[in-house]
Amino acid sequence: RREHPWEPGPQTPPPCLSLPASCRAKMATEGLHENETLASLKGEAESLKGRLEEERAKLHDVELHQVAERVEALGQFVMKTRRTLKGHGNKVLCMDWCKDKRRIVSSSQDGKVIVWDSFTTNKEHAVTMPCTWVMACAYAPSGCAIACGGLDNKCSVYPLTFDKNENMAAKKKSVAMHTNYLSACSFTNSDMQILTASGDGTCALWDVESGQLLQSFHGHGADVLCLDLAPSETGNTFVSGGCDKKAMVWDMRSGQCIQSFETHESDINSVRYYPSGDAFASGSDDATCRLYDLRADREVAIYSKESIIFGASSVDFSLSGRLLFGGYNDYTINVWDVLKGSRVSILFGHENRVSTLRVSPDGTAFCSGSWDHTLRIWA
Amino acid sequence: MTIAALRRLQMPGLAKMERVIVSMQDPDMGIKMRNQRLLITVIPHAMTGNDIVEWLIQKYSISEEESLHLGNLLVKHGYIYPLKDPRSLVLRADDSPYRFQTPYFWTSSKWPATELDYAIYLAKKNIRKQGDLIDHEKDNYNLLHKRINHTWDFVVMQAREQLRAAKQRRKGDRIVIDCQEQAYWLVNRPPPGALNVLEHGPERRNCHISRVQLPENTDYYKREIECCRKAMGRTRVKSSICLEGYIKFNEQYVPHDPIMSGCLPSNPWITDDTTYWAMNAPTVMTPTKLRVERWGFGFSELLGDTLGRRQLLEFLKKEFSAENLSFWEACEELRYGEQARIADIVDSIYQQFLAPGATRWVNIDSKTMERTLEGIKTPHRYVMDDAQMHIYMLMKKDSYPRFLKSELYRSLLAEAIMPPETKKRVFPFMRKQRHSSPSPALLLPTGEPEVKAEDQSKVVAVPMES
């Protein structure tokens, strides 16, 4: 004798009948209909994605490392720390180069944002943000301003002034407003526009002077962690990576997603365009970096090694795109031969996670920032 | 989802480390464990630091430096602990004895550590050492005593009970259990100033964890389906063709890549000599050979270089099509300009370049002109896109190839300089004085925002290059 309707008997009742009556009633009306639509949409999306992968595979007739067999192998690789920038009192989270090839801006967990002449290691400006975990910072193309943000969910622009009487924070402009943390920001081709990525799952384009939202980009299913603008001569596109393991390419004008790639097995922490603009690289918590070709519309290389266990937090290419530098959460920097797919070198030095890495505008060096409170210039 | 599985998701490195640890303990392919002697006591199932380093070198074909680094990570995360000097979680590549941590104490199993457990641990230590705890442990002990005072009797009772049970074990076992516990607490309650491996950044709203909270409504999937459908219809290029592109690009650019090929006279970061930057400044009298060569790689290279663009203007003037470049620059100013000024900029472009009888009238096809003039009635940032593209393509397909064949370009190439390599300094410790340079932020005149915008826009209209 069954006491409760949901106890398994000789004939197990269908799931919905074993729920309490109130619930059943609700489901019978709207709830059930919505669930069916959501489930069927999800199923359709999954099957389309599968078919898309099949289409992409059809034109894949050769691997990159095969084509690269005739390229000369790289010789002995020597890169050393040439400068160590000490001054942050806490984890360095982000950095960006000035177009003058020697100045940089860096931001840290304790809210400090510092502008350095990294050649002399002198600090030129410093401002303390009203929030902690300033995860994003960027140098304006003119070299006259910086942008930064983090747990305050905003992106603010600070004009750089040498006027001793002026407090940098006084002229601060609050530009972007998101509903979750700011993970990345970048000026476009001028000081007057900023592109942002946020933990709220969206990217957005803003007018700096007015703070007006010019365009928003929806499509990621979780936090967006990184973005990079295409070096295209005519186009207006950018790529973003997120916690949904997707890398998405966007049209800045229409707000539409042009291409989407989902081959990583974990969060994508960093995306960077290959110098020709025909491809981009990504670094992920799954301990791999990958190369995606935009014309072939697929992943064309994976940079990984069994001994590399921790995620890649930040990636960038050397000027020619032959080398890919990856900063990792195991405190090291791995240097990859982009064409042959092999690791060229591993650089030790930082004493905690490498959180940010950028090659200088003229390719003479790269800068790494770490949770060990320092930045290093390598050449 | 179990706590362990959740932790492994949040810290993906943990699962991988655990796989390494498991294969290190494989009876056939793993490390050969033996009894290790610790003073007079014999500890079974132990290995030396050297064993660990050697095994990693063999298993992953890596250098000793990398192997030591990886091994150190395993120790710092508490998966292997030292028997000698157990307070220091460091891997030494010598015959120091080490042991694998019991899975009970693995970071993924027992995290986060509870206050109660820590209190019991400190209480045990306190009793054993008769109140003589080290600084930070003493502080923590007092703090906990205040915070969870209500359960303190329980804490002391547990501590006494555990100590009593431990006394009944062999000395060897007691040492092992003590070391295991100590290692666990060194990872979970590191002393102030020590590396905290469990530190992580702000919470990410990972889709696995917060599936419930995500706005995974029908809109999200509709967008995905839309994106997929569009992607299905894309023209794709065969891999063999795309990948050839990388080989060609590599060939062209590697000689220009300072990290790959060095730079003449020397890399400023290495020799502290900034001549390279001076010679390649945006505006110099005579550009370097490499720079002028690069203008020939593609139209964007010429346009993107301040000096190159100037030379292009000179050439276009000779061909009476200089207005094309000016028009393109003005359109860039519109695309990346301040929102409030859009109407003004559009009007200015119209007056200068598109109006009938304009002084710098640009020659665009009638269809595009018609569309543009219509669009100007409701000016927006992208209203000049079609016209701009038309003129850009004209310059790229028509003027640019002629520029490369022109006398102007040939003489630039001929006159371009090739700096000699700086001889290596004989006395490396005599470092050159590092001079500061004027900040770009100083170069602009202060005051008029009008001037600022104009100046900035001149810097603006340079296509992004990496």
Side-chain angles (χ1 to χ4, degrees):
Chain A
R1 185 172 148 258
R2 267 182 288 146
E3 283 205 333
H4 306 282
W6 56 83
E7 248 179 27
Q11 247 186 358
T12 322
C16 61
L17 283 181
S18 60
L19 290 168
S22 55
C23 206
R24 271 183 276 146
K26 188 174 183 200
M27 279 180 75
T29 52
E30 350 166 292
L32 185 60
H33 180 70
E34 223 175 73
N35 279 350
E36 266 185 355
T37 319
L38 192 69
S40 68
L41 277 177
K42 185 171 175 178
E44 193 182 340
E46 288 302 310
S47 90
L48 265 177
K49 278 198 255 188
R51 277 175 51 207
L52 180 60
E53 282 315 306
E54 278 169 27
E55 278 303 305
R56 283 170 163 171
K58 279 182 190 161
L59 288 175
H60 189 59
D61 51 350
V62 70
E63 295 292 329
L64 179 54
H65 63 86
Q66 290 172 294
V67 175
E69 261 159 33
R70 62 181 212 268
V71 178
E72 214 179 287
L74 294 173
Q76 231 245 321
F77 186 85
V78 177
M79 265 187 113
K80 298 190 198 154
T81 302
R82 306 288 173 175
R83 302 284 190 278
T84 305
L85 304 176
K86 298 188 190 172
H88 276 294
N90 215 311
K91 306 179 180 66
V92 176
L93 304 176
C94 187
M95 64 79 44
D96 191 19
W97 287 90
C98 174
K99 280 216 162 96
D100 78 346
K101 307 154 191 176
R102 49 190 283 173
R103 281 175 173 77
I104 63 169
V105 60
S106 60
S107 63
S108 80
Q109 180 194 357
D110 61 4
K112 276 240 166 44
V113 179
I114 301 178
V115 173
W116 318 67
D117 175 353
S118 57
F119 187 72
T120 57
T121 72
N122 291 339
K123 301 189 223 350
E124 292 190 342
H125 308 268
V127 71
T128 307
M129 293 277 285
C131 68
T132 58
W133 289 92
V134 186
M135 295 175 272
C137 64
Y139 224 119
S142 69
C144 302
I146 54 156
C148 50
L151 285 186
D152 58 351
N153 300 357
K154 299 195 211 145
C155 184
S156 310
V157 174
Y158 292 85
L160 294 177
T161 171
F162 280 94
D163 191 337
K164 297 268 195 281
N165 301 322
E166 245 182 52
N167 177 12
M168 245 177 87
K171 286 252 165 95
K172 159 179 162 178
K173 257 188 278 215
S174 215
V175 177
M177 293 274 290
H178 280 279
T179 55
N180 211 311
Y181 63 85
L182 190 82
S183 55
C185 65
S186 173
F187 286 88
T188 62
N189 272 12
S190 81
D191 284 19
M192 293 167 266
Q193 282 186 328
I194 283 200
L195 191 59
T196 58
S198 165
D200 67 11
T202 71
C203 296
L205 182 67
W206 311 83
D207 177 64
V208 172
E209 193 55 47
S210 63
Q212 186 186 343
L213 173 67
L214 300 174
Q215 185 60 265
S216 67
F217 306 88
H218 298 261
H220 275 287
D223 315 23
V224 187
L225 299 177
C226 51
L227 61 81
D228 192 32
L229 281 148
S232 170
E233 47 189 18
T234 52
N236 231 1
T237 62
F238 73 94
V239 61
S240 65
C243 287
D244 57 356
K245 312 175 204 167
K246 288 203 283 196
M248 303 179 79
V249 181
W250 307 88
D251 178 317
M252 268 168 68
R253 179 175 166 173
S254 65
Q256 294 299 309
C257 164
I258 305 173
Q259 280 168 288
S260 178
F261 304 91
E262 200 173 339
T263 62
H264 270 293
E265 294 166 14
S266 188
D267 301 0
I268 298 178
N269 298 312
S270 174
V271 284
R272 196 70 66 207
Y273 273 92
Y274 181 77
S276 73
D278 290 328
F280 68 89
S282 59
S284 160
D285 271 350
D286 67 6
T288 70
C289 296
R290 296 174 196 236
L291 188 67
Y292 297 91
D293 187 294
L294 295 171
R295 293 173 306 165
D297 190 32
R298 57 174 292 122
E299 172 194 290
V300 292
I302 303 182
Y303 307 101
S304 69
K305 221 172 154 12
E306 269 199 318
S307 58
I308 300 174
I309 289 177
F310 286 86
S313 63
S314 194
V315 298
D316 202 356
F317 287 97
S318 72
L319 189 143
S320 63
R322 179 63 190 272
L323 300 172
L324 180 69
F325 300 102
Y328 287 73
N329 289 335
D330 67 358
Y331 324 164
T332 67
I333 294 162
N334 287 287
V335 185
W336 302 92
D337 180 331
V338 170
L339 301 181
K340 293 195 182 279
S342 53
R343 186 184 64 186
V344 170
S345 180
I346 176 168
L347 303 172
F348 298 98
H350 279 298
E351 293 165 12
N352 205 326
R353 294 194 196 188
V354 177
S355 52
T356 179
L357 189 154
R358 295 296 295 263
V359 171
S360 74
D362 64 354
T364 49
F366 72 84
C367 177
S368 61
S370 162
W371 280 19
D372 68 5
H373 308 189
T374 70
L375 294 123
R376 285 170 180 245
I377 310 282
W378 305 75
Chain B
M1 193 182 271
T2 64
I3 295 278
L6 196 70
R7 291 307 163 206
R8 285 192 196 105
L9 259 173
Q10 286 180 332
M11 283 183 72
L14 290 186
K16 292 208 173 86
M17 266 194 291
E18 283 162 18
R19 277 202 288 275
V20 177
I21 291 291
V22 164
S23 56
M24 275 175 122
Q25 292 176 75
D26 182 85
D28 299 315
M29 305 299 290
I31 298 183
K32 297 285 168 277
M33 310 226 257
R34 314 150 248 198
N35 294 345
Q36 288 288 336
R37 200 164 267 280
L38 195 67
L39 291 179
I40 49 166
T41 327
V42 172
I43 314 282
H45 301 300
M47 58 210 159
T48 66
N50 228 352
D51 290 337
I52 298 170
V53 172
E54 284 304 319
W55 188 88
L56 288 170
I57 289 175
Q58 287 305 312
K59 168 90 176 171
Y60 295 116
S61 312
I62 53 181
S63 68
E64 185 172 340
E65 195 182 9
E66 192 176 353
S67 164
L68 192 60
H69 176 84
L70 182 55
N72 248 306
L73 279 176
L74 295 171
V75 173
K76 286 194 163 39
H77 281 81
Y79 286 98
I80 293 175
Y81 59 88
L83 291 166
K84 195 165 63 169
D85 195 8
R87 258 201 237 126
S88 157
L89 289 181
V90 166
L91 177 67
R92 275 175 262 273
D94 52 21
D95 56 8
S96 309
Y98 290 84
R99 262 181 129 257
F100 290 106
Q101 178 65 287
T102 169
Y104 176 75
F105 276 135
W106 278 4
T107 305
S108 56
S109 323
K110 226 173 172 324
W111 181 40
T114 64
E115 279 199 325
L116 192 63
D117 284 338
Y118 192 43
I120 294 168
Y121 170 70
L122 289 177
K124 276 199 292 186
K125 255 195 166 172
N126 198 38
I127 293 168
R128 271 218 319 253
K129 300 209 166 168
Q130 288 154 340
D132 188 25
L133 290 172
I134 45 175
D135 288 327
H136 80 278
E137 285 185 338
K138 195 176 249 163
D139 292 337
N140 288 337
Y141 182 81
N142 294 332
L143 235 117
L144 281 166
H145 186 91
K146 264 194 221 130
R147 235 200 334 257
I148 54 172
N149 198 278
H150 49 285
T151 57
W152 207 253
D153 286 340
F154 175 74
V155 169
V156 175
M157 181 188 80
Q158 275 293 301
R160 289 221 172 94
E161 184 55 39
Q162 288 183 17
L163 282 173
R164 193 193 58 77
K167 276 208 182 88
Q168 304 188 333
R169 304 187 82 117
R170 273 182 53 234
K171 180 155 192 214
D173 288 348
R174 241 186 295 146
I175 292 176
V176 160
I177 291 171
D178 280 347
C179 284
Q180 282 176 346
E181 221 188 353
Q182 171 138 233
Y184 174 79
W185 287 112
L186 279 170
V187 173
N188 284 276
R189 292 284 185 276
L195 181 68
N196 183 356
V197 293
L198 297 182
E199 239 184 340
H200 54 88
E203 283 301 318
R204 289 176 182 179
R205 219 181 58 203
N206 268 294
C207 38
H208 337 274
I209 298 169
S210 53
R211 254 254 125 131
V212 195
Q213 296 148 358
L214 267 180
E216 266 188 16
N217 46 27
T218 52
D219 282 339
Y220 173 75
Y221 287 115
K222 277 189 188 141
R223 245 182 264 123
E224 258 204 335
I225 290 167
E226 182 62 34
C227 194
C228 269
R229 286 221 178 96
K230 269 203 221 130
M232 290 288 285
R234 268 185 87 81
T235 0
R236 271 177 212 91
V237 182
K238 251 199 305 192
S239 287
S240 46
I241 298 177
C242 300
L243 302 179
E244 266 309 309
Y246 296 132
I247 310 296
K248 284 209 177 67
F249 191 86
N250 179 68
E251 239 174 72
Q252 240 184 356
Y253 281 87
V254 160
H256 297 254
D257 184 339
I259 292 176
M260 292 285 296
S261 313
C263 50
L264 300 171
S266 67
N267 187 319
W269 299 103
I270 300 177
T271 59
D272 288 351
D273 178 7
T274 58
T275 310
Y276 177 74
W277 283 334
M279 295 180 89
N280 287 287
T283 50
V284 278
M285 276 302 294
T286 327
T288 64
K289 229 185 191 70
L290 276 176
R291 186 173 177 180
V292 180
E293 257 172 37
R294 207 165 147 181
W295 296 344
F297 287 176
F299 185 51
S300 61
E301 290 285 359
L302 179 66
L303 203 58
D305 183 316
T306 318
L307 211 57
R309 192 186 291 198
R310 225 180 260 178
Q311 297 301 332
L312 175 65
L313 186 65
E314 285 310 307
F315 176 74
L316 292 177
K317 276 187 189 156
K318 290 204 176 98
E319 298 210 324
F320 305 105
S321 57
E323 67 277 357
N324 287 346
L325 184 55
S326 308
F327 174 71
W328 183 86
E329 284 181 335
C331 291
E332 285 288 278
E333 204 192 313
L334 170 65
R335 274 220 292 184
Y336 299 108
E338 203 186 312
Q339 187 68 10
R341 291 191 55 226
I342 288 190
D344 287 341
I345 300 175
V346 169
D347 188 54
S348 154
I349 293 177
Y350 173 74
Q351 298 299 336
Q352 282 184 77
F353 301 101
L354 301 172
T359 49
R360 297 201 279 177
W361 193 80
V362 281
N363 196 356
I364 48 182
D365 66 284
S366 50
K367 249 204 207 129
T368 311
M369 179 65 94
E370 217 180 286
R371 244 197 332 261
T372 307
L373 292 178
E374 188 58 40
I376 287 179
K377 296 185 181 155
T378 44
H380 60 92
R381 184 177 295 276
Y382 304 109
V383 77
M384 296 291 172
D385 271 11
D386 287 344
Q388 183 182 11
M389 179 63 86
H390 179 94
I391 293 295
Y392 180 86
M393 282 307 180
L394 200 64
M395 289 194 289
K396 175 176 174 171
K397 296 270 156 73
D398 200 31
S399 318
Y400 177 61
R402 278 203 303 276
F403 171 81
L404 292 181
K405 293 197 196 99
S406 70
E407 193 47 48
L408 175 65
Y409 184 63
R410 284 180 205 278
S411 62
L412 279 168
L413 263 176
E415 287 158 27
I417 43 182
M418 185 95 139
E421 183 174 2
T422 306
K423 293 241 161 50
K424 270 208 153 67
R425 318 199 121 252
V426 181
F427 301 103
F429 51 83
M430 267 165 51
R431 211 183 63 183
K432 221 184 150 104
Q433 244 252 307
R434 291 173 186 164
H435 297 288
S436 56
S437 69
S439 165
L442 279 172
L443 296 175
L444 270 197
T446 49
E448 281 116 284
E450 240 66 36
V451 183
K452 235 187 190 149
E454 219 183 280
D455 249 63
Q456 275 179 8
S457 70
K458 288 212 172 62
V459 182
V460 158
V462 175
M464 298 270 286
E465 284 183 68
S466 63

